[in-house]
Amino acid sequence: KAGVTQTPRYLIKTRGQQVTLSCSPISGHRSVSWYQQTPGQGLQFLFEYFSETQRNKGNFPGRFSGRQFSNSRSEMNVSTLELGDSALYLCASSFGASGLSTDTQYFGPGTRLTVL
Amino acid sequence: AQSVAQPEDQVNVAEGNPLTVKCTYSVSGNPYLFWYVQYPNRGLQFLLKYITGDNLVKGSYGFEAEFNKSQTSFHLKKPSALVSDSALYFCAVRSSGGSYIPTFGRGTSLIVHP
């Protein structure tokens, strides 16, 4: 079974631009979560989608948004990029709905975003 | 609020020796605990999890972890380290009550010397 895939793997943008990242979950998984990983802050939860609905949201500004499609694929958008948005953005999928805290999340390889 | 502490930024061990990567947690309700490993330029790979039952959990690549409720710890262990085990290790906790959102530790860099 194929793992979680993320595209693109690397992105370079300039301040003020916007960016869209894509995540395809493991086949059969319906929950997709997004995380931002930086050396200073570690892994921080962005949001989680299940059945095209955002179920949970972390403490990030409204510039960060996402959506999920009927095939469970998810996209994350960051508008008006800032230097501090440079990070590795990780997507994770799991089978069940939010609230199933016992579910294992499986992570993709990430998208490395650099903002200049 | 739930939290995870990985008190060591880096752990050094010689190949063939046992290794331990420490993790302590704080959570309301029953804890669900996870260990992940991250290799350079890669995402996190699931190693093992504790949900309920036996306090000693066995996972991938020969790793195991021991859940200790009284000490609120979930240390990762391996009897004999390999150079290829060198990576960044993350502990995470979720709760049976409160927020579903997992909290990750800051990570521990494991370096296994030949």
Side-chain angles (χ1 to χ4, degrees):
Chain A
K1 185 184 280 190
V4 179
T5 58
Q6 292 187 245
T7 56
R9 291 294 310 278
Y10 301 91
L11 265 179
I12 299 176
K13 293 287 187 178
T14 56
R15 280 180 299 174
Q17 287 187 309
Q18 75 166 16
V19 67
T20 299
L21 313 181
S22 180
C23 170
S24 292
I26 291 172
S27 178
H29 284 192
R30 299 183 294 168
S31 175
V32 173
S33 296
W34 289 89
Y35 294 84
Q36 182 195 65
Q37 185 181 20
T38 59
Q41 299 297 321
L43 268 159
Q44 293 187 286
F45 174 82
L46 280 156
F47 27 65
E48 186 242 354
Y49 287 87
F50 180 81
S51 293
E52 303 178 62
T53 301
Q54 187 180 92
R55 295 298 183 97
N56 289 285
K57 191 177 192 303
N59 189 26
F60 278 81
R63 300 186 296 107
F64 292 81
S65 63
R67 59 177 175 169
Q68 187 180 34
F69 301 95
S70 58
N71 62 357
S72 294
R73 190 177 70 85
S74 177
E75 288 182 347
M76 189 192 94
N77 184 273
V78 188
S79 62
T80 320
L81 284 166
E82 301 177 359
L83 295 179
D85 297 333
S86 294
L88 180 66
Y89 289 88
L90 293 166
C91 164
S93 77
S94 59
F95 176 76
S98 62
L100 288 179
S101 299
T102 56
D103 256 6
T104 298
Q105 291 186 316
Y106 295 90
F107 285 79
T111 294
R112 173 75 62 185
L113 172 64
T114 302
V115 182
L116 303 176
Chain B
Q2 62 191 35
S3 64
V4 174
Q6 293 183 241
E8 300 155 317
D9 290 337
Q10 184 171 300
V11 169
N12 291 275
V13 64
E15 187 174 31
N17 283 0
L19 69 87
T20 299
V21 182
K22 296 179 180 178
C23 171
T24 58
Y25 65 90
S26 174
V27 70
S28 60
N30 293 322
Y32 301 138
L33 296 151
F34 302 78
W35 275 103
Y36 289 87
V37 60
Q38 186 177 33
Y39 296 98
N41 299 314
R42 301 284 295 277
L44 276 66
Q45 295 180 33
F46 170 72
L47 281 178
L48 51 81
K49 68 180 179 182
Y50 171 82
I51 303 301
T52 188
D54 194 349
N55 289 344
L56 184 64
V57 180
K58 294 187 183 297
S60 307
Y61 313 119
F63 284 93
E64 58 188 30
E66 186 166 11
F67 170 64
N68 188 315
K69 188 173 183 178
S70 62
Q71 296 186 5
T72 61
S73 67
F74 189 56
H75 300 329
L76 182 71
K77 300 181 180 184
K78 186 174 182 181
S80 178
L82 300 172
V83 172
S84 57
D85 293 330
S86 299
L88 192 57
Y89 290 79
F90 290 92
C91 180
V93 67
R94 292 156 85 172
S95 173
S96 63
S99 173
Y100 152 86
I101 299 170
T103 299
F104 284 81
R106 297 298 299 267
T108 298
S109 178
L110 173 67
I111 300 175
V112 182
H113 302 276

